[in-house]
PDB file of all heavy atoms in Angstrom:
ATOM      1  N   GLU G 973      88.699  78.132  -6.068  1.00  0.00           N
ATOM      2  CA  GLU G 973      89.847  77.240  -6.011  1.00  0.00           C
ATOM      3  C   GLU G 973      90.986  77.908  -5.247  1.00  0.00           C
ATOM      4  O   GLU G 973      91.278  79.084  -5.466  1.00  0.00           O
ATOM      5  CB  GLU G 973      90.320  76.898  -7.418  1.00  0.00           C
ATOM      6  CG  GLU G 973      89.297  76.096  -8.209  1.00  0.00           C
ATOM      7  CD  GLU G 973      88.981  74.753  -7.571  1.00  0.00           C
ATOM      8  OE1 GLU G 973      89.917  74.081  -7.087  1.00  0.00           O
ATOM      9  OE2 GLU G 973      87.795  74.380  -7.546  1.00  0.00           O
ATOM     10  N   VAL G 974      91.616  77.175  -4.353  1.00  0.00           N
ATOM     11  CA  VAL G 974      92.724  77.690  -3.559  1.00  0.00           C
ATOM     12  C   VAL G 974      93.804  76.625  -3.461  1.00  0.00           C
ATOM     13  O   VAL G 974      93.570  75.460  -3.750  1.00  0.00           O
ATOM     14  CB  VAL G 974      92.257  78.115  -2.143  1.00  0.00           C
ATOM     15  CG1 VAL G 974      91.375  79.337  -2.208  1.00  0.00           C
ATOM     16  CG2 VAL G 974      91.544  76.973  -1.444  1.00  0.00           C
ATOM     17  N   GLU G 975      94.983  77.028  -3.008  1.00  0.00           N
ATOM     18  CA  GLU G 975      96.117  76.121  -2.897  1.00  0.00           C
ATOM     19  C   GLU G 975      96.167  75.384  -1.564  1.00  0.00           C
ATOM     20  O   GLU G 975      96.778  74.342  -1.455  1.00  0.00           O
ATOM     21  CB  GLU G 975      97.419  76.896  -3.084  1.00  0.00           C
ATOM     22  CG  GLU G 975      97.567  77.503  -4.467  1.00  0.00           C
ATOM     23  CD  GLU G 975      97.650  76.455  -5.563  1.00  0.00           C
ATOM     24  OE1 GLU G 975      98.326  75.434  -5.347  1.00  0.00           O
ATOM     25  OE2 GLU G 975      97.017  76.661  -6.594  1.00  0.00           O
ATOM     26  N   TYR G 976      95.552  75.924  -0.523  1.00  0.00           N
ATOM     27  CA  TYR G 976      95.667  75.299   0.783  1.00  0.00           C
ATOM     28  C   TYR G 976      94.747  74.084   0.907  1.00  0.00           C
ATOM     29  O   TYR G 976      93.725  73.972   0.250  1.00  0.00           O
ATOM     30  CB  TYR G 976      95.392  76.294   1.917  1.00  0.00           C
ATOM     31  CG  TYR G 976      94.023  76.938   1.903  1.00  0.00           C
ATOM     32  CD1 TYR G 976      92.905  76.272   2.389  1.00  0.00           C
ATOM     33  CD2 TYR G 976      93.845  78.230   1.420  1.00  0.00           C
ATOM     34  CE1 TYR G 976      91.661  76.859   2.399  1.00  0.00           C
ATOM     35  CE2 TYR G 976      92.606  78.827   1.425  1.00  0.00           C
ATOM     36  CZ  TYR G 976      91.516  78.136   1.922  1.00  0.00           C
ATOM     37  OH  TYR G 976      90.279  78.730   1.934  1.00  0.00           O
ATOM     38  N   ASP G 977      95.157  73.160   1.789  1.00  0.00           N
ATOM     39  CA  ASP G 977      94.346  71.978   2.074  1.00  0.00           C
ATOM     40  C   ASP G 977      93.436  72.277   3.252  1.00  0.00           C
ATOM     41  O   ASP G 977      93.783  73.068   4.132  1.00  0.00           O
ATOM     42  CB  ASP G 977      95.242  70.792   2.442  1.00  0.00           C
ATOM     43  CG  ASP G 977      96.050  70.298   1.252  1.00  0.00           C
ATOM     44  OD1 ASP G 977      95.519  70.356   0.118  1.00  0.00           O
ATOM     45  OD2 ASP G 977      97.191  69.852   1.465  1.00  0.00           O
ATOM     46  N   VAL G 978      92.302  71.635   3.269  1.00  0.00           N
ATOM     47  CA  VAL G 978      91.346  71.794   4.353  1.00  0.00           C
ATOM     48  C   VAL G 978      91.213  70.456   5.068  1.00  0.00           C
ATOM     49  O   VAL G 978      90.970  69.429   4.441  1.00  0.00           O
ATOM     50  CB  VAL G 978      89.965  72.226   3.813  1.00  0.00           C
ATOM     51  CG1 VAL G 978      88.950  72.299   4.947  1.00  0.00           C
ATOM     52  CG2 VAL G 978      90.053  73.559   3.101  1.00  0.00           C
ATOM     53  N   GLU G 979      91.417  70.499   6.384  1.00  0.00           N
ATOM     54  CA  GLU G 979      91.166  69.318   7.201  1.00  0.00           C
ATOM     55  C   GLU G 979      89.737  69.431   7.690  1.00  0.00           C
ATOM     56  O   GLU G 979      89.324  70.497   8.166  1.00  0.00           O
ATOM     57  CB  GLU G 979      92.129  69.267   8.379  1.00  0.00           C
ATOM     58  CG  GLU G 979      93.570  69.108   7.965  1.00  0.00           C
ATOM     59  CD  GLU G 979      94.504  69.041   9.162  1.00  0.00           C
ATOM     60  OE1 GLU G 979      94.104  68.496  10.206  1.00  0.00           O
ATOM     61  OE2 GLU G 979      95.627  69.538   9.040  1.00  0.00           O
ATOM     62  N   VAL G 980      88.980  68.361   7.605  1.00  0.00           N
ATOM     63  CA  VAL G 980      87.591  68.376   8.032  1.00  0.00           C
ATOM     64  C   VAL G 980      87.482  67.651   9.368  1.00  0.00           C
ATOM     65  O   VAL G 980      87.969  66.523   9.516  1.00  0.00           O
ATOM     66  CB  VAL G 980      86.672  67.714   6.978  1.00  0.00           C
ATOM     67  CG1 VAL G 980      85.221  67.722   7.450  1.00  0.00           C
ATOM     68  CG2 VAL G 980      86.793  68.456   5.649  1.00  0.00           C
ATOM     69  N   ALA G 981      86.846  68.313  10.341  1.00  0.00           N
ATOM     70  CA  ALA G 981      86.662  67.747  11.667  1.00  0.00           C
ATOM     71  C   ALA G 981      85.163  67.564  11.916  1.00  0.00           C
ATOM     72  O   ALA G 981      84.340  68.234  11.304  1.00  0.00           O
ATOM     73  CB  ALA G 981      87.267  68.678  12.728  1.00  0.00           C
ATOM     74  N   ASP G 982      84.842  66.648  12.812  1.00  0.00           N
ATOM     75  CA  ASP G 982      83.442  66.370  13.118  1.00  0.00           C
ATOM     76  C   ASP G 982      82.872  67.231  14.230  1.00  0.00           C
ATOM     77  O   ASP G 982      81.669  67.243  14.421  1.00  0.00           O
ATOM     78  CB  ASP G 982      83.253  64.895  13.493  1.00  0.00           C
ATOM     79  CG  ASP G 982      83.441  63.991  12.300  1.00  0.00           C
ATOM     80  OD1 ASP G 982      83.145  64.412  11.176  1.00  0.00           O
ATOM     81  OD2 ASP G 982      83.897  62.848  12.505  1.00  0.00           O
ATOM     82  N   GLY G 983      83.693  67.928  14.974  1.00  0.00           N
ATOM     83  CA  GLY G 983      83.182  68.736  16.063  1.00  0.00           C
ATOM     84  C   GLY G 983      84.221  69.706  16.563  1.00  0.00           C
ATOM     85  O   GLY G 983      85.383  69.666  16.161  1.00  0.00           O
ATOM     86  N   VAL G 984      83.797  70.575  17.450  1.00  0.00           N
ATOM     87  CA  VAL G 984      84.661  71.624  17.984  1.00  0.00           C
ATOM     88  C   VAL G 984      85.876  71.026  18.681  1.00  0.00           C
ATOM     89  O   VAL G 984      87.000  71.468  18.459  1.00  0.00           O
ATOM     90  CB  VAL G 984      83.864  72.533  18.943  1.00  0.00           C
ATOM     91  CG1 VAL G 984      84.773  73.539  19.601  1.00  0.00           C
ATOM     92  CG2 VAL G 984      82.738  73.234  18.195  1.00  0.00           C
ATOM     93  N   GLU G 985      85.663  70.029  19.515  1.00  0.00           N
ATOM     94  CA  GLU G 985      86.796  69.439  20.245  1.00  0.00           C
ATOM     95  C   GLU G 985      87.817  68.844  19.279  1.00  0.00           C
ATOM     96  O   GLU G 985      89.023  68.998  19.477  1.00  0.00           O
ATOM     97  CB  GLU G 985      86.305  68.382  21.217  1.00  0.00           C
ATOM     98  CG  GLU G 985      85.567  68.972  22.389  1.00  0.00           C
ATOM     99  CD  GLU G 985      85.036  67.913  23.345  1.00  0.00           C
ATOM    100  OE1 GLU G 985      85.575  66.784  23.345  1.00  0.00           O
ATOM    101  OE2 GLU G 985      84.096  68.226  24.086  1.00  0.00           O
ATOM    102  N   GLU G 986      87.334  68.182  18.241  1.00  0.00           N
ATOM    103  CA  GLU G 986      88.259  67.571  17.276  1.00  0.00           C
ATOM    104  C   GLU G 986      89.033  68.645  16.518  1.00  0.00           C
ATOM    105  O   GLU G 986      90.232  68.507  16.292  1.00  0.00           O
ATOM    106  CB  GLU G 986      87.525  66.677  16.288  1.00  0.00           C
ATOM    107  CG  GLU G 986      88.490  65.993  15.333  1.00  0.00           C
ATOM    108  CD  GLU G 986      87.806  65.103  14.300  1.00  0.00           C
ATOM    109  OE1 GLU G 986      86.595  64.880  14.390  1.00  0.00           O
ATOM    110  OE2 GLU G 986      88.520  64.649  13.398  1.00  0.00           O
ATOM    111  N   ARG G 987      88.369  69.731  16.133  1.00  0.00           N
ATOM    112  CA  ARG G 987      89.083  70.764  15.377  1.00  0.00           C
ATOM    113  C   ARG G 987      90.181  71.384  16.213  1.00  0.00           C
ATOM    114  O   ARG G 987      91.271  71.640  15.714  1.00  0.00           O
ATOM    115  CB  ARG G 987      88.117  71.821  14.838  1.00  0.00           C
ATOM    116  CG  ARG G 987      87.658  72.819  15.869  1.00  0.00           C
ATOM    117  CD  ARG G 987      86.777  73.879  15.273  1.00  0.00           C
ATOM    118  NE  ARG G 987      86.309  74.729  16.365  1.00  0.00           N
ATOM    119  CZ  ARG G 987      85.389  75.621  16.247  1.00  0.00           C
ATOM    120  NH1 ARG G 987      84.800  75.818  15.103  1.00  0.00           N
ATOM    121  NH2 ARG G 987      85.020  76.348  17.257  1.00  0.00           N
ATOM    122  N   LEU G 988      89.922  71.641  17.481  1.00  0.00           N
ATOM    123  CA  LEU G 988      90.944  72.232  18.343  1.00  0.00           C
ATOM    124  C   LEU G 988      92.081  71.233  18.599  1.00  0.00           C
ATOM    125  O   LEU G 988      93.239  71.615  18.647  1.00  0.00           O
ATOM    126  CB  LEU G 988      90.320  72.731  19.649  1.00  0.00           C
ATOM    127  CG  LEU G 988      89.333  73.877  19.450  1.00  0.00           C
ATOM    128  CD1 LEU G 988      88.700  74.263  20.774  1.00  0.00           C
ATOM    129  CD2 LEU G 988      89.961  75.074  18.784  1.00  0.00           C
ATOM    130  N   ARG G 989      91.748  69.958  18.728  1.00  0.00           N
ATOM    131  CA  ARG G 989      92.777  68.932  18.918  1.00  0.00           C
ATOM    132  C   ARG G 989      93.692  68.880  17.687  1.00  0.00           C
ATOM    133  O   ARG G 989      94.911  68.796  17.827  1.00  0.00           O
ATOM    134  CB  ARG G 989      92.130  67.566  19.152  1.00  0.00           C
ATOM    135  CG  ARG G 989      93.121  66.455  19.409  1.00  0.00           C
ATOM    136  CD  ARG G 989      92.463  65.087  19.499  1.00  0.00           C
ATOM    137  NE  ARG G 989      91.672  64.742  18.331  1.00  0.00           N
ATOM    138  CZ  ARG G 989      92.163  64.388  17.141  1.00  0.00           C
ATOM    139  NH1 ARG G 989      93.466  64.320  16.966  1.00  0.00           N
ATOM    140  NH2 ARG G 989      91.350  64.086  16.144  1.00  0.00           N
ATOM    141  N   LEU G 990      93.100  68.972  16.486  1.00  0.00           N
ATOM    142  CA  LEU G 990      93.916  68.971  15.260  1.00  0.00           C
ATOM    143  C   LEU G 990      94.881  70.150  15.250  1.00  0.00           C
ATOM    144  O   LEU G 990      96.046  69.994  14.895  1.00  0.00           O
ATOM    145  CB  LEU G 990      93.001  69.031  14.035  1.00  0.00           C
ATOM    146  CG  LEU G 990      92.248  67.770  13.661  1.00  0.00           C
ATOM    147  CD1 LEU G 990      91.197  68.089  12.592  1.00  0.00           C
ATOM    148  CD2 LEU G 990      93.197  66.717  13.154  1.00  0.00           C
ATOM    149  N   LEU G 991      94.403  71.312  15.633  1.00  0.00           N
ATOM    150  CA  LEU G 991      95.260  72.492  15.625  1.00  0.00           C
ATOM    151  C   LEU G 991      96.317  72.430  16.732  1.00  0.00           C
ATOM    152  O   LEU G 991      97.480  72.736  16.497  1.00  0.00           O
ATOM    153  CB  LEU G 991      94.439  73.763  15.774  1.00  0.00           C
ATOM    154  CG  LEU G 991      93.643  74.165  14.559  1.00  0.00           C
ATOM    155  CD1 LEU G 991      92.788  75.375  14.866  1.00  0.00           C
ATOM    156  CD2 LEU G 991      94.565  74.476  13.400  1.00  0.00           C
ATOM    157  N   ASP G 992      95.894  72.042  17.931  1.00  0.00           N
ATOM    158  CA  ASP G 992      96.833  71.989  19.046  1.00  0.00           C
ATOM    159  C   ASP G 992      97.933  70.984  18.799  1.00  0.00           C
ATOM    160  O   ASP G 992      99.064  71.166  19.243  1.00  0.00           O
ATOM    161  CB  ASP G 992      96.097  71.674  20.345  1.00  0.00           C
ATOM    162  CG  ASP G 992      95.204  72.825  20.780  1.00  0.00           C
ATOM    163  OD1 ASP G 992      95.384  73.963  20.289  1.00  0.00           O
ATOM    164  OD2 ASP G 992      94.293  72.583  21.609  1.00  0.00           O
TER     165      ASP G 992
END
Side-chain angles (χ1 to χ4, degrees):
E973 295 298 319
V974 291
E975 296 296 319
Y976 59 80
D977 292 325
V978 176
E979 295 181 34
V980 179
D982 290 330
V984 175
E985 289 178 22
E986 183 181 352
R987 77 177 176 190
L988 295 177
R989 182 186 56 74
L990 286 169
L991 287 175
D992 291 342

